[in-house]
Amino acid sequence: MTGEPLTMEAMRQVVADAIGTEPAAIDDDDDLIGHGIDSITVMRLASRWRRDGVPLKFASLIEKPSLRAWW
């Protein structure tokens, strides 16, 4: 656990790192699939955030793959 609360900007940074882009390139409503995120990466993110105490599930994340929907 990181001990820090998950913020929208922290989420944006983690997603950007996972897909190899700059955080500024990802808008809140962008379809992350279009940015190159895949289901395995979404599973890893969901697992990471759950370990940090954020109750996100893979099914919810993959259903609406945008930062705003995840937030």
Side-chain angles (χ1 to χ4, degrees):
M1 184 184 277
T2 64
E4 298 177 26
L6 184 63
T7 64
M8 175 77 93
E9 289 312 310
M11 183 180 279
R12 186 184 322 279
Q13 182 66 57
V14 169
V15 170
D17 290 347
I19 60 176
T21 193
E22 293 297 317
I26 305 171
D27 290 329
D28 293 352
D29 294 311
D30 284 356
D31 179 352
L32 297 174
I33 302 294
H35 276 284
I37 203 165
D38 59 30
S39 60
I40 299 298
T41 302
V42 174
M43 280 185 203
R44 288 181 182 141
L45 294 176
S47 177
R48 173 185 176 167
W49 290 327
R50 273 195 316 274
R51 280 193 311 270
D52 287 344
V54 181
L56 294 172
K57 295 181 181 179
F58 168 76
S60 298
L61 298 181
I62 204 69
E63 181 181 332
K64 296 179 183 176
S66 75
L67 289 175
R68 187 179 312 275
W70 291 3
W71 185 249

